[in-house]
C-alpha cells in the first residue's frame, strides 16, 4: 500500500474583513486564528479546509507597515514525517529568504523580520522544503508559495505639479475649460478605495469649479472682467478613499490669469483741450498732445487719432505716438496771427483692433474738441516777392536807379523798415540801395563783357528791432550796348614769296566782337586810307565776316623791303558803329618753285628746336654743384685717415678726450696722455703738436726731470707754469680732468696689484706665465723687483 506523506502548512491570513475582529493569538499580534492546511502527496496537491473560506494554498497575505515590536508571523511549515524528535530540518529559499523572511528549522515557523512596504515590492515568491537532518535528503518535494503584501492606505494623493499656471480670456462663458489637474496615489488601486482619488475645490469659489473625478477646472461665473480683477488663485484638493472621512489628501495651487480682450472703448478724460501756438511755429512742429484712455492693454489699447472737422482741418494734423498712445497735434502750414488767431478742431480716437463679439458694448471710439490759440510774435519784414529780377544797360551813368524792392512788417504795429545790401554778395560794391525806400542804384560803371549777371542779396530789417530781418535775392542782368569795336580773332603774321604772282591770296582774315548782337554780327573790312593807294597788297571783303589779302604786283625783293605792315580797318553794323584798325605783318621770304618758304631775311617764322640760354645755365650750375660735392666728400674721407690713438696692442694707456673745446679734437690726444704724468721722464720734449703748424719754430725748453716720488699735483703745477711762459704753447685753453685724490688718500688704491701692505709681500713672477698679453706688466714689475733687490 502506498504511503502518503503529507506536508502541512499553517498560516494566518490578515485580510481586511471580519476576521480582523477575532481575538489575536499569543504568538503574533494582528492576525486571526484562521488556519489552512496544505497536504502534499507526490505531485498531487490537496487543500484541507477547516473553514468555509475558499483559500488558495499557494498565495498568502501579509499586512504592510507592521508596527509591532516582535517579528511578524507569516505561517508554519510542517511535514507528517516530523515525529518531533528533531530528525527533520526545514529550509526556506526565494525572495528575501534568510534576510527578510526566516524559518525555524526545527518547528517550521516562518516570520518577517522587517516592516514591509507594498509600494516597494508587492509580491514575494518563496520555496519550502523538509530534509532529513542525518542524510541531508529531502523527505518532501520542494513547494513554492507566494506571499502577497496586503495594502493599507498609507499614501496620500500627490499632484504632478506643485503649482499650475493657466490663463483664459476675460468675459468667457460659464463652463469654459481652464486647466486639468492630476493627482496619483501610490496605494493599490485593485484593493479597496485606498487609491480612489476625488477632487474638490478649497479656494476659488464662486469663480471656478472642478470636476471631482477628472480634475478639470472650469469657469463658474459669467463675465469675469480683467479690468476689475486679473489674477485668481485656486486651491484644489485630491482625497483618496473616494473622498470618505479618514482618507488622505493632498493639495495644489492653480494661478489663473484673465487675458485681455477689447471690451473697453477709448475715452477722452475731458471734452475740450486748449493749446497755444506762436505764429512763428515752423511746419511739422508739435503744438500739443492729447490722450484717450483705454482700460485694455497691448494691441487692444492701440488708438488711431484723426481730425474729423473744424476750421483748422487744413492747418493742423495729428499723428499717434506708438509708445504712449498719445495724439500729437502738429502744424501743417505756416500760421499768421494777423490773418487768423483761433482754430477749433474735432479730434476722434478709434480702436484699431475691434472685437466683433463686444460691439454691443457701444462704439469703440470717442471725440473731443481742441482749441488752438495763435499767439502774435514779432515777425521779420516780408518782401513783396520771393525774388527780384532787374535789367540795366551797361552804359548807364553811376548812381542810376535800376529798380526797387519792397518789404513790410507783417505785425499789427507796422514797424518801419530799413534796407541794406549784403556786402558778402557784392564785394566790389557795384550797387547800393536807398535804406528808406529800397531803390537800388549803381555805384560803379558796368561792363556786360566783364560780368553779365550780378546776384546780390538785399536785407530788410526793422528799425526798432534790427534782429528781425529777412533777405531776398536780387538778380541784375546787364544789357549790352555797342561799346566794343571788332578786332582780329588772332594775331596775324604771314609771309609772301619773292617769286609771288599778282592777285595771289596770301592770308584770310576773320574778326570777333565782344558785344552781343541780337541779329548777328556783320563786319566790314577795308584798308586804312593811308595804305589804300600806295600799298603793295589789296584787301577783298568776302561779306561773310572774313576778308582776303592779295598781292598787287609780281615779285618782291626781301633785300629792298623785308617786312610790310598792312593796316586793316574793321567795322560793325550796330549802333553806334564801332571800328578799329588792326595791323597784319607780312614778311618777304625766299621760296621754292612750289611756294614753300625756305628762308626769310628777318626772324624766322618757324624757330628751330634747341635749348634756351636759361636751360644751358641751369645745366652748368648743376655740373658745378656736383663737382664741389665730390671734392668735399674726398676731402672729408682723407681727413678721417689719421693715426690711431693706440698704435700697438701692447701700448696700454688711458686717454681722456674732451670734444667740447676749441683745441685740436681727436688729433690733440697727446695733450692728455696720462702716461706722461705717471712717468715724467718718458716725455718726449721734441714732440710737437700735430694738429697745428706753428708760424715760428722755437726750440723746446728742456726742464729738469722730476724726482721719482714727485707728486702728480706738483708735476701738473710745474707743467702749467712752464706752458704759461712757453711761447710755443698753443693759443687756446684745454681742460683735462683726472681722477686724482692726492697723497695719503684715505681711500687708498683699489688696484689688485697693490692690495698687500708692502711691495715685498707680492711676487710678480707669475705674470711671465700669462702669455704675451701680460709681457709688458711682467717686464715692468720684474724690473721694479730687480731695482729693489739692488
Amino acid at each position: 500500500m502506498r504511503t502518503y506523506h503529507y506536508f502541512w502548512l499553517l498560516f494566518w491570513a490578515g485580510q481586511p474583513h471580519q476576521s480582523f475582529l477575532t481575538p489575536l493569538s499569543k504568538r503574533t499580534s494582528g492576525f486571526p486564528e484562521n488556519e489552512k492546511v496544505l497536504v502534499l502527496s507526490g505531485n498531487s496537491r490537496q487543500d484541507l479546509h477547516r473553514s468555509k473560506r475558499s483559500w488558495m494554498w499557494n498565495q498568502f497575505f501579509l499586512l504592510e507597515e507592521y508596527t509591532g515590536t516582535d517579528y511578524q508571523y507569516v505561517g508554519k511549515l510542517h511535514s507528517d514525517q516530523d515525529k518531533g524528535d528533531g530528525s527533520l530540518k526545514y529550509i526556506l529559499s526565494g525572495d528575501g529568504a534568510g534576510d527578510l523572511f526566516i524559518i525555524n528549522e526545527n518547528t517550521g515557523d516562518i516570520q518577517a523580520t522587517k516592516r514591509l512596504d507594498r509600494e516597494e515590492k508587492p509580491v514575494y515568491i518563496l520555496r519550502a522544503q523538509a530534509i532529513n537532518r542525518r542524510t541531508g535528503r529531502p523527505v518532501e518535494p520542494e513547494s513554492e508559495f507566494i506571499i502577497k503584501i496586503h495594502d493599507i492606505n498609507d499614501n496620500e494623493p500627490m499632484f504632478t505639479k506643485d503649482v499650475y499656471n493657466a490663463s483664459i480670456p476675460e468675459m468667457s462663458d460659464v463652463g469654459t475649460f481652464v486647466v486639468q489637474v492630476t493627482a496619483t496615489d501610490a496605494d493599490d488601486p485593485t484593493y479597496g478605495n485606498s487609491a480612489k482619488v476625488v477632487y474638490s475645490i478649497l479656494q476659488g469659489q464662486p469663480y471656478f469649479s472642478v470636476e471631482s473625478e477628472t480634475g478639470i477646472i472650469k469657469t463658474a461665473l459669467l463675465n469675469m472682467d480683467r479690468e476689475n480683477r486679473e489674477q485668481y488663485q485656486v486651491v484644489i484638493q485630491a482625497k483618496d478613499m473616494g473622498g470618505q472621512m479618514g482618507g488622505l489628501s493632498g493639495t495644489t495651487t492653480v494661478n489663473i490669469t484673465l487675458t485681455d480682450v477689447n471690451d473697453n472703448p477709448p475715452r477722452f478724460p475731458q471734452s475740450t483741450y486748449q493749446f497755444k501756438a506762436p505764429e512763428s511755429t515752423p511746419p511739422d512742429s508739435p503744438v500739443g498732445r492729447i490722450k484717450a484712455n483705454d482700460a485694455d492693454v497691448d494691441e487692444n489699447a492701440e488708438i488711431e487719432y484723426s481730425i474729423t472737422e473744424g476750421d483748422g482741418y487744413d492747418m493742423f494734423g495729428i499723428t499717434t505716438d506708438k509708445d504712449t498712445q498719445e495724439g500729437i497735434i502738429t502744424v501743417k502750414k505756416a500760421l499768421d496771427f494777423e490773418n487768423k488767431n483761433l482754430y477749433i478742431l474735432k479730434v476722434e480716437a478709434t480702436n484699431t483692433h475691434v472685437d466683433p463679439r463686444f460691439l454691443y458694448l457701444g462704439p469703440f471710439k470717442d471725440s473731443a474738441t481742441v482749441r488752438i490759440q495763435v499767439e502774435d510774435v514779432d515777425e521779420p519784414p516780408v518782401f513783396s516777392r520771393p525774388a527780384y529780377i532787374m535789367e540795366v544797360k551797361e552804359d548807364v551813368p553811376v548812381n542810376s536807379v535800376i529798380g526797387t524792392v519792397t518789404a513790410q512788417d507783417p505785425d499789427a504795429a507796422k514797424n518801419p523798415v530799413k534796407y541794406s545790401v549784403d556786402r558778402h554778395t557784392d564785394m566790389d560794391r557795384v550797387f547800393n540801395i536807398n535804406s528808406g525806400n529800397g531803390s537800388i542804384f549803381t555805384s560803379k560803371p558796368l561792363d556786360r563783357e566783364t560780368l553779365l549777371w550780378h546776384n546780390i542779396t538785399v536785407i530788410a530789417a526793422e528799425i526798432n528791432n534790427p534782429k528781425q530781418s529777412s533777405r531776398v535775392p536780387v538778380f541784375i542782368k546787364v544789357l549790352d550796348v555797342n561799346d566794343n569795336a571788332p578786332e582780329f580773332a588772332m594775331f596775324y603774321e604771314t609771309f609772301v614769296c619773292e617769286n609771288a604772282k599778282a592777285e595771289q591770296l596770301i592770308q584770310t582774315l576773320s574778326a570777333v566782337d565782344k558785344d552781343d548782337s541780337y541779329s548777328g554780327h556783320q563786319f566790314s573790312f577795308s584798308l586804312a586810307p593811308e595804305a589804300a593807294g600806295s600799298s603793295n597788297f589789296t584787301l577783298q571783303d568776302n561779306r561773310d565776316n572774313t576778308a582776303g589779302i592779295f598781292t598787287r604786283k609780281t615779285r618782291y625783293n626781301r633785300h629792298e623791303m623785308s617786312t610790310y605792315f598792312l593796316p586793316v580797318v574793321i567795322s560793325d553794323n550796330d549802333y553806334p558803329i564801332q571800328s578799329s584798325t588792326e595791323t597784319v605783318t607780312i614778311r618777304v621770304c625766299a621760296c621754292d618753285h612750289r611756294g614753300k618758304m625756305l628762308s626769310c631775311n628777318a626772324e624766322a617764322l618757324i624757330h628751330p628746336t634747341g635749348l634756351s640760354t636759361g636751360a644751358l645755365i641751369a645745366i652748368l650750375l648743376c655740373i658745378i654743384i656736383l663737382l664741389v660735392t665730390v671734392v668735399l666728400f674726398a676731402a672729408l674721407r682723407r681727413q678721417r685717415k689719421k693715426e690711431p690713438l693706440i698704435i700697438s696692442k701692447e701700448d696700454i694707456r688711458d686717454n681722456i678726450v674732451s670734444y667740447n673745446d676749441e683745441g685740436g679734437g681727436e688729433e690733440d690726444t697727446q695733450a692728455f696722455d696720462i702716461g706722461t704724468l705717471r712717468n715724467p721722464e718718458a716725455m718726449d720734449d721734441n714732440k710737437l703738436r700735430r694738429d697745428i703748424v706753428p708760424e715760428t719754430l722755437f726750440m723746446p725748453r728742456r726742464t729738469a726731470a722730476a724726482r721719482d716720488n714727485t707728486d702728480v699735483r706738483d708735476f701738473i703745477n710745474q707743467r702749467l707754469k712752464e706752458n704759461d711762459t712757453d711761447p710755443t704753447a698753443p693759443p687756446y685753453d684745454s681742460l683735462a680732468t683726472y681722477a686724482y685724490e692726492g697723497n695719503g688718500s684715505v681711500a687708498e688704491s683699489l688696484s689688485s696689484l697693490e692690495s698687500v701692505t708692502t711691495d715685498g709681500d707680492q711676487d710678480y713672477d707669475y705674470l711671465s706665465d700669462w702669455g704675451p698679453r701680460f709681457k709688458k706688466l711682467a717686464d715692468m714689475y720684474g724690473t721694479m723687483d730687480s731695482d729693489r733687490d739692488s
Side-chain angles (χ1 to χ4, degrees), residues 379-679:
E379 297 177 280
V382 178
F383 284 94
S384 60
R385 300 179 190 175
Y388 292 87
I389 299 178
M390 302 179 182
E391 294 181 348
V392 60
K393 291 186 176 182
E394 61 177 329
D395 61 344
V396 296
V398 176
N399 295 328
S400 298
V401 176
I402 60 177
T404 303
V405 297
T406 304
Q408 292 183 354
D409 183 9
D411 299 325
K414 299 297 181 182
N415 293 320
V417 177
K418 65 176 181 179
Y419 303 91
S420 61
V421 176
D422 186 357
R423 291 307 174 188
H424 292 91
T425 61
D426 186 24
M427 301 294 291
D428 296 332
R429 296 180 178 269
V430 179
F431 301 96
N432 211 334
I433 190 170
N434 189 307
S435 61
N437 58 20
S439 59
I440 301 175
F441 57 90
T442 60
S443 57
K444 289 184 178 180
L446 303 177
D447 187 5
R448 188 202 68 86
E449 288 72 32
T450 303
L451 186 60
L452 177 61
W453 284 93
H454 294 267
N455 302 327
I456 65 174
T457 300
V458 176
I459 303 173
E462 294 182 6
I463 295 177
N464 298 333
N465 187 10
K467 292 183 179 180
Q468 293 294 336
S469 63
S470 57
R471 297 167 175 263
V472 68
V474 179
F475 306 103
I476 303 174
K477 182 179 181 181
V478 180
L479 300 179
D480 183 49
V481 295
N482 193 23
D483 58 346
N484 290 279
E487 57 188 12
F488 281 149
M490 56 180 294
F491 175 73
Y492 290 103
E493 183 177 7
T494 184
F495 70 95
V496 61
C497 295
E498 288 182 312
N499 56 356
K501 298 180 180 180
E503 302 298 327
Q504 181 180 344
L505 177 65
I506 61 173
Q507 183 65 49
T508 301
L509 307 177
S510 63
V512 294
D513 194 336
K514 296 180 180 179
D515 293 326
D516 188 13
S517 177
Y518 297 102
S519 58
H521 290 291
Q522 185 64 41
F523 303 124
S524 60
F525 300 85
S526 62
L527 293 177
E530 63 273 14
S534 60
S535 177
N536 293 307
F537 303 92
T538 60
L539 181 67
Q540 179 180 342
D541 192 347
N542 298 326
R543 304 298 180 181
D544 59 354
N545 295 335
T546 63
I549 300 177
F550 294 87
T551 57
R552 173 174 287 185
K553 63 179 182 177
T554 301
R555 301 192 64 85
Y556 293 85
N557 191 342
R558 55 175 173 158
H559 299 288
E560 296 178 358
M561 178 66 70
S562 61
T563 303
Y564 293 92
F565 298 98
L566 184 67
V568 178
V569 177
I570 311 172
S571 303
D572 57 21
N573 61 346
D574 292 331
Y575 180 82
I577 295 176
Q578 300 288 339
S579 62
S580 64
T581 301
E582 301 290 330
T583 302
V584 178
T585 303
I586 303 174
R587 300 186 181 278
V588 180
C589 300
C591 300
D592 58 11
H593 65 280
R594 291 176 296 180
K596 185 178 180 180
M597 180 184 63
L598 297 178
S599 64
C600 295
N601 190 28
E603 183 182 355
L605 295 177
I606 302 176
H607 296 283
T609 302
L611 294 176
S612 63
T613 305
L616 294 175
I617 294 175
I619 293 173
L620 291 176
L621 287 176
C622 291
I623 295 173
I624 293 173
I625 293 173
L626 182 60
L627 292 175
V628 171
T629 304
V630 172
V631 171
L632 290 176
F633 180 75
L636 291 176
R637 290 292 300 272
R638 183 176 182 181
Q639 184 178 359
R640 290 180 182 178
K641 295 180 180 179
K642 54 184 177 293
E643 182 181 355
L645 296 178
I646 301 176
I647 300 175
S648 174
K649 292 183 179 180
E650 303 300 330
D651 187 8
I652 300 174
R653 55 182 175 175
D654 295 331
N655 292 278
I656 301 176
V657 181
S658 178
Y659 291 96
N660 56 344
D661 56 41
E662 298 179 358
E666 293 181 357
E667 295 293 332
D668 198 17
T669 55
Q670 290 183 352
F672 309 103
D673 191 354
I674 198 171
T676 305
L677 300 178
R678 293 176 178 174
N679 188 10

Side-chain angles (χ1 to χ4, degrees), residues 14 82-83 122 192 256 279 316 510 555 601 625 705 781:
D82 191 355
K83 305 300 182 180
I256 302 175
E279 63 175 335
F316 299 92
S510 63
R555 301 192 64 85
N601 190 28
I625 293 173
Y781 285 93

